[in-house]
Structures are given as C-alpha cells and as structure tokens.
C-alpha cells in the first residue's frame, strides 16, 4: 500500500520558537525537521527517520497492543519486552508446561505459539481532521450532546477511511483536548505469535521489588512475529498464514552503546497530563492516586495469598496481579514525586501568570477569564463524589464475573443500536476483540479470589453513604452477614464461569438475558441504570472539559513562547537524549550501565532474585562471546538515558545515532514515574535492556542462534 | 601526674612484616612508629601523635563512658556525639522542659548540667602484664578455676596499680584472648556536665531510618565538660569543682576536609571478632544475630507503641529503645554482610589452610592439631542450648524490675565476700557506679511496658522445653492465664518502683532480702541458683576458649606473615584512611560529602525528618558564614572515609593530616556493620559529622559563639 499524503498543519500553530529543545518532548514524527537533532548527536538524515515519500525508520516500528515493538528482520520478527509478551506467555503456560517459569524458544516457525488477543499496528499515515470533527459542535448543545456528537463524527471519519482503504485500521486521535484531532491510518495485523521468551527469572528478574527502579538487572525482552494471509492481507490466525514482510526493519547493532552516547526512541507513549491544570493534579495527588495505592495494594496482597499455595492459581492471577503491582508502585512514585517536586504549586504558579496575562487584555479577559476556575470546579465536583464513584467503578473491575456480566448485558443493549450509535467497544469493528478479551479474562477467573475481592469492595461501599441509596445493594450492605450471604448466593447461582454458557449469552437480547435468572446477570441488570448514569455523567464532564481545555490551549498559545508538544495519546512519537546517570539524592550517583556481575550479586535464590545456573556458570567462566562491554569486561545488562517516555514506550527500540537498535526500553527510574505529569532534566530517566544482554541470553544461554542470524547478527 | 614508662613488647611478637598496611587496622598507639603514615598522607611527626616523653595528641583524647571524646579547649571542653550525650540530655529532660526536643545551650559554666552516670577517662600509660597474669594458671586447674584465677590476678594487679598511683584508674585489658594482657592506667574524671546539645531533630536527624546508612544528614555532636576538684584531683560532682585542664587539647580546623584527604581517628573501639573462628561466626550468623533481630524488633515496637500516647513515657523509654534499635539494625546489617560476603566460608577456608600448616609438622600437629575442632565444639554446645540460655538471660534484661531485683540480691550475696572475690561490678571500686546505673534505670521504669515485656519473655520461654524444668516458673509457664496471673501478682506486690525502698534494700543481707517478701525480690531469689549456674557455665566456657584461643594465636603467628593487630577491646587505638566514597552495588556510587541542601530535601516535617525552621531559613538565605564548602557552596554536613572503626569510636575526632579536628565520627555505613567480623576495602566506610556543620549549628543557628571562641574558632 502506498503512503497517503500527510497534513502537517495541525501542530504548526502550536509550535513556538522550537529551538534547542531540552530532552523533554514526545515529538510527533511530522515535527522532526524542526528539531536540530544533528546538534544533539544524530548521525543520520532526519528524512530517513520519517519521510512521506519513501520508506524510513518509522516503517520498522509497530504498536503491540499497549506496547511498542521493532521489526528486526525482513520476516516480521519483532523484538519487544518480556512484560509486553507476558499475557501470551502466561496464556500458553500450564502448571505442567510452565513457559513463564522455564522460558520458550521456537526452534522454527512451525513451533511459534499463537498469541490470542495480540494485534500489531504500523502507522501508515495521518492527517489533521480537526475542522471536520469540530464543525459538528453547535453552541446550543449540552455537554453530553457535545461529547456524543464529537464521538459520532470521529467514528464516521474512521469508518469512511476504512471503507476508502480496505484492510486498514483508522483511528481519530485527540491531540490537544477539545481542539485538535488527527486521523491515523494503520496496517493492522491480527495473527501474532510468540517466538522466544527467556524464563521469568530473567525476563522479570527483580519483579515488583525492582520494578520502577534503577539500577536494574532485568532481561525484559522477548521475540514475537507478525503473520498475514498468503496474499499479504491482514487475517485472523490461520495455519497457512505467512510471515509479514515489513517495508523496513531496524538494524540490530551488537556493539551496543556507551555513557553519553546519543539515543532516540520511537514508540507509542500512552498518556501524559502535562497540559492539564493544577486542579487536575491536585485531584490526582489528594484523591485518585492514594485511592489506587490503597485499593491495589490490598488486591495484590489477596492474589499473592491465593497464588502461594498453588502454581496453577498463581499462573491464572499472575498477569492481573503484575499489572496492578505495576500501577500501584508507579502511583506511589508519582505521589512521592508530586509532593517532593511541589508540582501542584508550580503549576498553580504558572496558571497565575497565565491568568495575569488574560487579565491584561479586556477582550481576552471576557473570553478566557473564567476558564481556569471552571476547570477547577469540575475537579472539585469530581473530588466530592470520588469516594462513591471510585468504589462503584472498582466494584465492577474487582470481580471478574461481575465485570463479565455487565459487559454481556451492556453489549446486548448496545448491539441493538445502529453501529455508529454504540459505545466504541461494541461497534462491529471492535466487537470481536471485546469478546476475545472477555473470554481470556474468564479463563483466568479464580472463584475464591473473585469472591474475596467482591466482598472487600462491598465492605468499602458499606462505609460510603451514597452507596446506601443504591437499591440493588441495599440488603447486601446492611450487615456483614448479609454481605456474606449475598456474595455466596451470587457464586452459587451463576453459570458465567462456564465458557459455553458465556458464548450462548452473547447472542441473547436484553430481555432474554433478564430471563436467564443467572445471579450475576441479574446483578448486572440491576446495577445497569447506575453504570449508565455514571457513563452519561462522564460524557458530561468530558464535554465540559473538552470545551474548556480547547479554549485554554488557545489562550496558552498566545501566552507561551516555548515549545509546545501535545500530550502523549498512544500515537507515534520520537524522543531523544543521551545515555546518562543521575543523582536521585544528595551524595548518591547512579551510573547508566549495569552488568551481569550485578545480576549475580543480586541473586539470592529466592523469587524474584533467582538466576538460572547456566547464566551463573557462564558468568564465572567469562564466556561472553562478542557481547562483553570493552571497558567493563562484562555483559552490560541494562542502560539508563534521559529521554522522555511514558507507558506505551515499553518495547520501544533504543536507537543509536545511526538509527540502529542498541536496546529495548522497558521502564523508568522511580523518580521518573512523575514524567506523566512533568518532566525533569535532573531525574527523568528511562531505562532499557542492553541489546548485548538480549543477544547473549538468546544465543549463548538458550541456543537460539538462528534468531541472531535472522537479525543479521553473526 | 608524670607519664609512666611504657612497655612495648606485648605486641612486637605479633607483628610480622607490617609494611604498607591496608586501611584495615585499629592500631595500638605504641605501634604507630611501625606504620609509614607519611606515605599515606600524614603531615605531622608520628612522635607528636603518641610519645612517652612529652605531651602529644593522645593526651587530648578521652573515653566518655562507652564513647570517645576530644578535648577542644584548655578548659576541659569535650566534643563528642549527640548520641553519646543522649543519656545525659534525656536525664535532664521532662515533658515540660524537653531538652531532647529543643536542644540545650548553657550560656556560661554555671548553667552547665550535671550528667550523672558519666565518667571521662584519659589514657596515661600502659604496660604488658601477660606473664604476671598467666603465671597463675596451672595445668591442674579446671576451666572454671582458670577463669576465676585469671580474673582474680587481673583484679590484684589493678588494685596494686591504683594503690601505687592514687587517683588513677587501672584496667587490665585482654589484647589477644587467653594470651596477652596489658595494664592501662587512666585519669578518671567523675564530674561531667552537659554544655551544648542541638535539638534531637538535628542531633538525631533521620533517627533509626537513617542510622547505619550513608548518605547521612545528622548533626550528631554535642559538647560536655570535665570537672575536677579545685586541687585538680578527680572528684564526684560538687558545685565548687573547676574545669579540668587537659595536658593537651585538639585544635579545631574550621576549614574542614575534602574528597581524598588523609584522615585519622583516635578512639576507644569496643569489640571486634576478627581473630575468632568460623565456628563462632556461624553461631553469630545462625543463632545469636537472628535472635537479637527478632527479640529487639519486638521490644522496640512495644516501646514505640507505649511512647506514642504520652511524651513523658516516650522520654522514659527513649534511651533504651534507641539503643536497642541501634543494635537491632546493626545486627541486620551484619547478618546481611555475613551472608553476602560469604564470610563464614572464607574464614573456614583460612582455617583449612592453617590446619594444613599444622598437619605439616608432627610436633605442631600433636600440640595444635585439635584446637580448631575443640573451639568449634564449644560453639556447637552453645548453639544447642542457645534457645533456652538466650531467653532466660533476656528474661532478666527485658523486665527492668526483675533486672533490679536480681542485681540487688546478687549484690547482697557478692558484697558479703572479700573484695577481690566478688564479681567485678560489686567490687568497692565499681560498686558506686553499679548502684548509680541501677537507679537511673529505675527512674525510667514504665510499669505497663515492663509488664508487656516480661509477659512476652515468659511466652517465649513457654515454648522452650528446658524452661519447663525451672521450678520457680513452672506454674507461670503452665498456661497463658497462669502467666497473666503471675505477672499481675508480681507488679501488684512489689515496692521496687520506689527509689527509697530500693535504697533501703541496698544495705540488706541476703537473708533480710528474703524476708522482705517483695514479689520481684522473691522471684530473684528463686531464679538466683539458675543465674548462678549460667554464670559458672560462662566461666567454664571462657576458660576453655581462653586456653584454646591463646594456643590458636600462637600457631597463627607461626603461620601468618601479614599484619596482625589485636581485636578491639575498648583500649586506645588509631586508625587512618581517606575521605572516600564507595559503590555499595552495581551502578551506584556514594560520594563522601553530604550537604545542607540534602538535609532540606530529606525534611518531611514528620519525625525523624523534621528540621528547625531557622535552619531552613538560613539555608534559603545561604547564610553560611565562613563554613561553606568552597566548591559545593553549601554547608557540608557529614563526611565518609575508609578508616577501620567499630562501636566505641563514636565521638572519635576525625583528624586531618596535621592532627587538627575536622569532624566527629559517629557511625558506619550499612555495609560496614560487618567491620566487627571482617574489614573490606571496597565497602568498610565510617562516617562523621563535618566540623563545619557542627560549628555553624552551634554558632550561627543557636548563638553559642562563646564556645567557638573557647575553641579558638573566630
């Protein structure tokens, strides 16, 4: 497929004096020409990173579900993180054949394992559709109507684009809230397979203890492969599918990097909130983050308890528990960072300066004078109702069975509507994946844990006055015994743990589901009006904030004269910087390259600090092949750098000045969890696995030399 | 008093090839001539550090209870640690006049506060008395007899020396176990007063969290003063006493130190076990240290709970709880260090080499072949009975009232004997201080906490089969209710919390005490035979180990050809090294100077990270006077160096190459807790408060400029 024309205008108006930028910035690739990357150390043509006319580096980058990956061979071989492939490894593992524990290496393509739920997308083009989206808005609309109208218009644009470009996936992304919209077109690959994964003792070495920390000693990488139909078109998994041929693949540079080397990352960073107000940050700091830390801390502890007795249960719960632990610790880091760096106060001070600027001109004052206050009001209201709202939403997410029941009923209601009127996940183009995710989550239901979590959430709701108004839970919340009875009855009278039953429900109408008289479905039906009310309330807030933030960006543009990059939103970005240590506190320096000796030193033999004996032996023998660091005389394991990343950059290639892959990004340092709200030159550090470690593990330790050959590393 | 002649021979025989030593080594000052200190950076004459003919640096150093201090003026002003003066500050504090919290500064000498229980000693001379001590031993003696005979001979020598040198304190110290004994003579000052202490928020900044850690930000210093009778003789506290005039005082160097500067410490390191066997280390690692960590952890938690509600209770318990916390964390560090550095295995390997050397010669084999095994057998037996012995000994120390009761009864029994036959603490020369310590500990009894600790110890004994044989506790240990009843009855039927009653008991005979019918005294009487049995058992082990270790040292001398320094034993030593950072783990460097900016950054406003507002303000104003570090442009707070220290070096002066005071030693880094067992060039680091911080706090922050003047800092 040829590359579609690009429209650049959407960002131009937002870039002021973009000279000699700091390392802050997740730049849309259309803007690279404005950055003097050569002065920072780039040794290739910017036009070879991104180009509308010919193939370029960007063609070798893909999104792998919520992560990033790089094509590293002409046959669709992808390198990404172990934690990005985790769901696939877990799904293929049983207590008897424990791939998570033992690792996996396909000796040829026939052995590669299907990774259900995985999709790979490659950015093909993008164009500004802001006018098309916003022309739908009229001043008479309520905020709910505004949100719904914009949503529908975005869906129409996507549908039209997919009709015009068969086989292509279209997404309209919001770049600046309420102001700028861009249509992205993606090649969309649905047959993804697991090729190689080190044992979790390598790929997740240090586990939750080391997660979000530097120094790091985790071999967090794995290989997957993209498959398409024999005719090259995107297709669901089929035996006869063939390896996808990317337009370009990234060259692996086995010589690695050194301290102070220039590096850049391409990837799909998820969400940042750098353009959000102090009032939003205050809500995060005072309400949402502490709630998450507390809630997830409890849920993780329950899952750990359950998993301790039985490896099969541990496997079922591992993916969920790992992902909660990740968010929990990140949230703790953010809380600490917000307070330590006094970020709310700093942003409030910026807003005061903006307010003074607004007040300086009568016209500006009348148009924009109230915006910041009005935004603050939305978050104040959110804060007020937060205890109830957070608990009732997490009631649904805590119990997998309740979540499945609500999704089934919601789907029946939504699927009865015209396609464009439905919630996005129930539209024809998305419904297949929604069902697949639900089935994967059903596979991992562990009823005793599910019960404990549901009971715990009900106990939280019990102390929450707004919940007592909720008719369907009135009896359940009246006493501890009633709660226990209520919960026992739910699990005794449901068939939703049965996958055939779940399938049968998917074709039923709301009326038919109500007649099923399944306890969880009944609860879902009873709670449905409340969840619907909350969804509408969300749309109302979104509409209000969308309009306010749109205006805020406009007046900020007039005020600010520094660089101005849209918040991360899951679209393709480039960030650059250098391999560089930092000082997290007085009298401590962290240097930017760790070694295999550090792995051995950390090894205690107790999870998560177990190291396979073969690695310890090879280290003792100094059998490093060509992968030793020339000065350290050891295998470099992980590297640290000052680029600007966030979640979604997991699996991003660390590229050297020539655009060659020298590592795979997988995390940030603890102090850099705060990146989501603010970047800081002194301590915003990202980190990745050194390609030399990945290659040594793959080839020397686990003998998959055919993969090194496929990547052209001999 | 003139200096007494010195005898050097005691060490000469133990020093082999003492050339270019590592920084390891707590050298007796008599040996300094053998070290080429100039090549390491010393810029003064060794003869001016220690000299038998004229006054020297050593005359400016004193022992302050278990700590070290330096005279820093001609009027007996002593600088030592805040934690060394802690007991005095605590003793003078009430909830109303909280010197611990608010700090204390005497505006002139009349305001200086008596520090009961404190004594200062200054080393005047020493001489080898090994032959005199060991000639008493005959081959026919049992091990208990051996221990008692040596003890008695040491006491005789001390008594004779004190008779020959009126006003002087004599102590025979064991240098090499069972082999070398040295008589030390000390000037002994009994009137010590508190002059200046910063608030605990400065002097104990970071508290137990930062204790044993680097980087450090604690202003752990205070000033005391030694007083003597107007005629210059040592005297108990009296109003008319005058400031002691030391023969020499240490010059304070307000310019401080820098990275890589030479430093040396003089002081009274307490105990090391570098000459102990692998079997001893195994006992420490597997038995005693884990027990201490567990036991003290629990006791600290109980004291914290009790102190949380009431500042007066917190003050009562603070000194004890702080000291337990110190040992608990050190023990944790030691456990970690023993395991990480594989020290037991390394020492066992050394012993194997020694054993091979012994086996290589028939005479040596017959004489020394069994020693190492026999030593191992002692520790094996100790291990076997450890659960019971540790618990029964800690029963006594856990309950202050039981401890007082046992001491009273023990004293009555022992005081009936001839002076030289008594346990040392009941001899006439020591009894006064024994009583004083007991009274100070009675003052801090908090009955509810005492009860909890006693009950907890009984619960531990309950699960210990050997304890069930113990008649006095038989009923108490039969059930939980009986334990509770037993404990309640003890506290209901004792008068030992009353200080007058305690006084009255001190003059009573054992028979009279038995007639008192005080519940705690009764329990002490009942348990006495068992404690006596354990004491004899201890002497038996001591005798056995003394003989074995004496022989072991002899054969080691024949085997080893590196330096060989006696273990620390509370006598005067010098250690030297450099201001130097280290890498505690892969990719982390710790640099050796912390700053006031670090104090501010650590300040959370929550104990132990509170900082007085005045310090924060002065820091913001950069009002550093002459005390700023020229490069850092900030006040240096603490410094790190690679000298060889242990407990007892607390308060030691950090001396620069010219012998001037640039800081006050107060701790080690966590990795260096292992110093007690083994020293390591890579991570054995000690740390102290930078004199610039101490001077800035004293003068600028708290206005005690008269002290700076007294020290000659203008």
């Amino acid at each position: 497929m040829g590359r579609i024309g690009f429209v650049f205008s959407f960002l131009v108006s937002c870039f002021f004096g973009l000279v000699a930028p700091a390392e802050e910035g997740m730049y849309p690739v259309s803007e690279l020409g404005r950055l003097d990357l050569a002065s920072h150390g780039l040794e290739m043509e910017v036009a070879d990173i991104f180009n509308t006319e010919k193939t370029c580096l960007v063609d070798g980058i893909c999104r792998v579900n919520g992560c990033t990956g790089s094509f590293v061979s002409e046959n669709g071989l992808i390198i990404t993180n172990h934690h990005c492939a985790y769901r696939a490894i877990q799904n293929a593992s049983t207590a008897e054949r424990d791939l998570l524990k033992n690792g996996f290496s396909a000796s040829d393509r026939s052995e590669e394992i299907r990774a259900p739920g995985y999709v790979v997308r490659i950015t093909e083009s993008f164009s500004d559709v802001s006018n098309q989206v916003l022309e739908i808005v009229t001043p008479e609309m309520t905020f709910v109507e505004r949100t719904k109208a914009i949503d529908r218009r975005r869906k129409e644009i996507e549908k039209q684009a997919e009709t015009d470009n068969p086989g292509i996936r279209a997404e309209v992304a919001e770049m600046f809230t309420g102001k700028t919209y861009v249509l992205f077109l993606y090649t969309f690959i649905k047959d993804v397979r697991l090729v190689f994964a080190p044992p979790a003792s390598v790929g997740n070495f240090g586990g939750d203890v080391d997660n979000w920390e530097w120094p790091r000693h985790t071999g967090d990488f794995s290989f997957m492969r993209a498959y398409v139909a024999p005719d090259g078109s995107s297709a669901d998994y089929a035996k006869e599918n063939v390896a996808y041929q990317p337009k370009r693949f990234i060259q692996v540079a086995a010589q690695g990097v050194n301290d102070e080397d220039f590096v850049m990352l391409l990837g799909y960073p998820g969400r940042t909130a750098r353009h959000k107000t102090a009032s939003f940050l205050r809500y995060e700091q005072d309400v949402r983050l502490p709630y998450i830390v507390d809630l997830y801390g409890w849920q993780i502890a329950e899952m750990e308890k359950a998993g301790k007795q039985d490896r099969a249960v541990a496997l079922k719960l591992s993916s969920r528990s790992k992902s909660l632990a990740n968010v929990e610790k990140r949230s703790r880091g953010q809380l600490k960072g917000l307070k330590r760096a006094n970020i709310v106060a700093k942003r409030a001070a910026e807003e005061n300066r903006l307010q003074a600027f607004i007040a300086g001109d009568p016209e500006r004052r009348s148009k924009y004078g109230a915006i910041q206050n009005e935004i603050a009001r939305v978050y104040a209201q959110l804060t007020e109702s937060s205890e109830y709202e957070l608990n009732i939403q997490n009631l649904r997410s805590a119990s997998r069975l309740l979540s499945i029941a609500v999704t089934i009923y919601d789907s029946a209601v939504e699927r009865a509507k015209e396609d464009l009127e439905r919630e996005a996940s129930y539209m024809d183009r998305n419904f297949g994946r929604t069902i697949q995710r639900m089935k994967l989550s059903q596979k991992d239901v562990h009823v005793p844990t599910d019960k404990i979590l549901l009971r715990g959430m009900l106990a939280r709701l019990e102390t929450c006055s707004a919940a007592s108004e909720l008719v369907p839970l009135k009896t359940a919340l009246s006493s501890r015994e009633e709660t226990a009875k209520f919960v026992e009855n739910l699990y005794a009278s449901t068939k939703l743990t049965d996958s055939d039953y779940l399938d049968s429900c998917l074709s039923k109408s709301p009326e038919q589901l109500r007649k099923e008289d399944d306890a969880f479905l009944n609860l879902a039906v009873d709670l449905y009006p409340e969840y619907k009310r909350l969804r509408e309330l969300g749309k109302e807030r979104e509409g209000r904030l969308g309009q306010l933030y749109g205006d805020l960006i406009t007046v900020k543009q007039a005020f600010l004269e520094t660089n101005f990059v849209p918040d991360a939103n899951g679209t393709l970005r480039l960030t650059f910087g250098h391999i560089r240590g930092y000082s997290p506190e007085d009298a401590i320096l962290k240097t930017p390259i760790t070694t295999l000796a550090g792995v051995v030193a950390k090894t205690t033999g107790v999870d998560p600090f177990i190291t396979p004996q073969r690695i310890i032996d090879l280290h003792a023998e100094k059998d490093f092949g060509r992968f030793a660091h020339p000065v350290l005389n050891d295998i470099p394991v992980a590297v640290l750098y000052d680029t600007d990343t966030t979640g979604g950059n997991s699996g991003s290639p660390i590229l050297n000045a020539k655009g060659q892959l020298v590592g795979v990004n997988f995390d940030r340092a603890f102090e850099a969890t705060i990146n989501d709200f603010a970047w800081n030159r002194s301590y915003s550090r990202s980190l990745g696995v050194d390609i030399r470690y990945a290659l040594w593990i793959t080839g020397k330790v686990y003998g998959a030399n055919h993969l090194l050959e496929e990547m052209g590393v001999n």
Side-chain angles (χ1 to χ4, degrees), chain A residues 81-83 86 100-101 197-221 322 329 594-613 615-616 637-638 666-667 687-689 693 697 702:
Chain A
N81 292 147
H82 182 270
H83 79 262
Y86 196 90
L100 208 48
K101 188 173 167 203
S201 57
V202 172
N204 189 29
F205 184 80
D208 298 336
V209 181
D210 273 10
N211 192 21
W212 299 108
E213 304 285 350
W214 181 263
R216 198 64 159 276
H217 297 86
T218 314
D220 193 353
F221 74 95
K322 188 169 152 63
K329 193 164 180 188
T594 62
T595 61
L596 194 52
V599 174
V600 173
K602 267 188 185 173
T603 298
T604 60
V606 179
D607 182 52
F609 295 105
I610 298 169
T611 298
Q613 191 57 43
I615 293 182
I616 291 172
V637 171
F666 69 85
D667 202 8
L687 57 101
V689 58
Y693 189 50
I697 291 282
Y702 292 102

Side-chain angles (χ1 to χ4, degrees), chain A residues 241-390:
Chain A
N241 283 353
V242 298
Y244 168 71
Q245 314 273 315
K247 285 200 281 265
R248 171 92 166 240
F249 69 90
I250 312 288
Q251 190 62 53
V252 167
Q255 76 273 20
V257 269
N258 256 311
D259 207 343
E260 292 300 319
D261 279 359
F262 172 90
V263 289
M264 61 185 173
L265 275 65
L266 282 160
Y268 291 88
R271 287 262 154 242
T272 54
R274 309 231 178 115
H275 294 301
K276 289 283 204 304
T277 58
S279 51
F280 166 80
L281 295 181
R282 203 173 291 117
Y283 168 73
E284 289 284 305
Q285 175 174 296
D286 297 345
V287 180
R288 203 186 63 85
L289 291 171
Y291 178 86
I292 290 296
V293 168
D294 176 59
L295 184 83
Y296 286 11
W298 156 65
Q299 296 191 353
I300 294 159
E302 293 296 348
M303 286 188 245
E304 271 175 9
K305 248 189 274 171
K308 245 177 202 148
Q309 308 305 323
D310 185 340
R311 177 67 183 161
V313 173
L315 275 172
K316 264 176 189 262
L317 299 173
S318 64
S319 183
R320 182 176 179 192
S321 140
K322 188 169 152 63
S323 110
L324 290 186
N326 186 49
V327 176
E328 189 271 344
K329 193 164 180 188
R330 183 186 68 205
S331 302
R332 268 193 286 131
Q334 290 173 334
L335 268 176
K336 197 173 159 188
L338 279 166
K339 287 174 189 163
R340 191 170 76 157
N342 228 342
I343 288 175
V344 176
K346 281 183 194 153
R347 193 148 310 171
E350 283 166 24
E351 289 172 5
N352 285 342
R353 286 193 292 277
L354 176 63
Q355 198 65 31
F357 169 78
I358 292 170
D361 176 278
E363 198 188 336
R364 262 204 302 267
R365 187 169 53 229
S366 80
K367 200 161 171 193
Y368 301 112
I371 297 178
Q372 298 197 106
N373 268 342
E374 283 181 36
I375 293 179
R377 199 133 52 86
V378 177
Y379 295 117
Q381 284 165 358
L382 195 56
T383 299
E384 219 167 282
S385 56
S386 64
E387 191 196 351
Y388 170 69
E389 286 190 33
L390 287 167

Side-chain angles (χ1 to χ4, degrees), chain A residues 436-467:
Chain A
Q436 193 177 31
R437 271 199 303 270
M438 182 164 61
K439 287 183 171 177
L440 283 170
S441 100
Q442 189 208 36
K443 182 169 172 257
D444 288 341
V445 168
H446 177 240
V447 168
T449 305
D450 210 64
K451 259 187 203 176
I452 289 170
L453 298 186
L454 182 60
R455 210 156 48 214
M457 286 311 306
L458 288 169
R460 280 166 187 257
L461 276 164
E462 201 189 314
T463 62
C464 178
S465 62

Side-chain angles (χ1 to χ4, degrees), chain A residues 1-6 29 49-60 122-126 185 247-248 572:
Chain A
M1 193 199 72
R3 191 177 295 275
I4 298 164
F6 283 76
V29 291
I49 299 175
F50 172 69
N51 199 306
T52 59
E53 307 300 327
K54 59 184 179 86
T55 70
C56 54
L57 221 49
V58 155
D59 294 314
I122 302 132
T123 301
E124 294 297 341
S125 71
F126 46 84
L185 301 188
K247 285 200 281 265
R248 171 92 166 240
L572 185 63

Side-chain angles (χ1 to χ4, degrees), chain A residues 16-242:
Chain A
F16 285 82
L18 192 51
V19 193
E23 282 82 355
E24 172 167 13
M26 303 174 186
Y27 298 99
V29 291
S30 55
E31 306 309 310
L32 304 186
R34 299 165 181 279
L35 307 169
D36 183 9
L37 289 176
S39 77
H40 291 276
L42 184 72
E43 294 171 22
M44 67 186 286
E45 295 300 317
V46 169
D48 198 34
I49 299 175
F50 172 69
N51 199 306
T52 59
E53 307 300 327
K54 59 184 179 86
T55 70
C56 54
L57 221 49
V58 155
D59 294 314
I61 308 301
C62 57
R63 182 165 171 174
V64 181
N65 287 7
C67 289
T68 300
S70 309
F71 289 112
V72 285
S73 87
E74 58 187 3
N75 285 312
L77 186 67
I78 295 168
I79 191 165
T80 185
N81 292 147
H82 182 270
H83 79 262
C84 295
Y86 196 90
R87 195 72 184 76
I89 309 167
Q90 180 215 14
N91 185 66
S93 292
T94 60
E96 294 74 38
R97 190 188 178 222
D98 196 335
L99 304 188
L100 208 48
K101 188 173 167 203
N102 303 318
F104 170 72
S105 178
S107 53
D108 59 34
R109 284 191 212 160
S110 70
E111 285 185 12
E112 294 174 4
I113 300 175
R114 186 180 172 190
Y118 276 76
V119 290
V120 160
R121 61 179 84 189
I122 302 132
T123 301
E124 294 297 341
S125 71
F126 46 84
S127 53
D128 190 331
V129 292
S130 305
N131 291 341
Q132 254 178 289
V133 170
L134 291 173
E135 71 185 10
I136 201 75
V137 178
T138 66
E140 296 76 34
M141 285 177 172
T142 66
F143 291 117
V144 177
E145 284 166 355
R146 185 185 194 275
T147 301
K148 288 185 175 175
I150 289 176
D151 273 1
R152 192 190 159 98
R153 174 52 62 93
R154 288 166 73 174
K155 289 173 190 164
E156 286 166 356
I157 296 169
E158 289 164 352
K159 201 161 193 173
Q160 186 61 46
E162 291 182 3
T163 310
D164 294 347
N165 301 278
I168 281 291
R169 175 86 181 178
E171 304 276 3
V172 173
E174 186 177 54
M175 303 306 285
F176 288 104
T177 308
K179 186 167 173 65
T180 329
Y181 298 85
V182 171
L183 170 65
F184 284 85
L185 301 188
Y186 299 101
T187 290
F188 194 72
I189 297 175
K190 292 174 286 183
D191 183 358
V192 184
R193 304 186 194 174
L194 184 65
V195 177
F196 177 94
S201 57
V202 172
N204 189 29
F205 184 80
D208 298 336
V209 181
D210 273 10
N211 192 21
W212 299 108
E213 304 285 350
W214 181 263
R216 198 64 159 276
H217 297 86
T218 314
D220 193 353
F221 74 95
S222 61
F223 291 99
M224 304 186 91
R225 195 185 302 277
Y227 281 79
V228 289
D231 68 358
S233 67
S234 176
D236 285 327
Y237 172 83
K239 209 158 182 244
E240 64 274 19
N241 283 353
V242 298

